[in-house]
Amino acid sequence: MRTKMLLRFPSTQTKNTITYDLIKKFDLHLNILKAEINHKLEGVLVYDIDGNSVKIAESLEYLKDCGVHAELVSNTIEVDRDTCVHCGLCTSVCP
């Protein structure tokens, strides 16, 4: 299964090895499409992921247990012009 995943995590998690854990524990192939990490505030990562669909589902549960908000992202971009702050995150998930 190939998909994209968006992660948002609090400053308490910025010191942890999230990418390494996903690769080693779940045998996922990750490509970092976007990374914005401020160790004092928060972190945002967008991955292109290739791996077993069961392992991807398990990785979502693992991240949730670690206090990381993670969700799979569709390739369709829907922009809410009223709330958009032009951060560019949506363009990084385009194929």
Side-chain angles (χ1 to χ4, degrees), residues 5-7 22 26 28 49 53-66 68-72:
M5 183 185 289
L6 169 67
L7 283 75
L22 293 177
F26 302 100
L28 299 176
I49 298 179
S53 59
V54 172
K55 293 290 189 180
I56 291 173
E58 289 173 358
S59 73
L60 288 169
E61 283 301 313
Y62 168 78
L63 291 166
K64 180 181 175 184
D65 292 343
C66 290
V68 176
H69 173 77
E71 62 183 286
L72 300 181

Side-chain angles (χ1 to χ4, degrees), residues 4-63:
K4 291 178 177 61
M5 183 185 289
L6 169 67
L7 283 75
R8 294 183 187 277
F9 47 96
S11 61
T12 56
Q13 294 296 325
T14 59
K15 65 184 179 302
N16 295 334
T17 57
I18 293 171
T19 300
Y20 176 83
D21 291 346
L22 293 177
I23 292 168
K24 295 301 273 185
K25 292 181 180 188
F26 302 100
D27 195 30
L28 299 176
H29 297 256
L30 305 178
N31 183 23
I32 299 172
L33 300 176
K34 184 168 185 131
E36 292 181 10
I37 301 168
N38 182 328
H39 71 280
K40 293 182 180 179
L41 296 175
E42 67 177 357
V44 175
L45 285 169
V46 178
Y47 295 124
D48 181 45
I49 298 179
D50 190 17
N52 178 289
S53 59
V54 172
K55 293 290 189 180
I56 291 173
E58 289 173 358
S59 73
L60 288 169
E61 283 301 313
Y62 168 78
L63 291 166

Side-chain angles (χ1 to χ4, degrees), residues 2-6 33 46-47 71-78 89-95:
R2 189 170 197 107
T3 189
K4 291 178 177 61
M5 183 185 289
L6 169 67
L33 300 176
V46 178
Y47 295 124
E71 62 183 286
L72 300 181
V73 180
S74 72
N75 287 333
T76 303
I77 297 174
E78 296 179 21
L89 183 62
C90 63
T91 59
S92 68
V93 297
C94 289

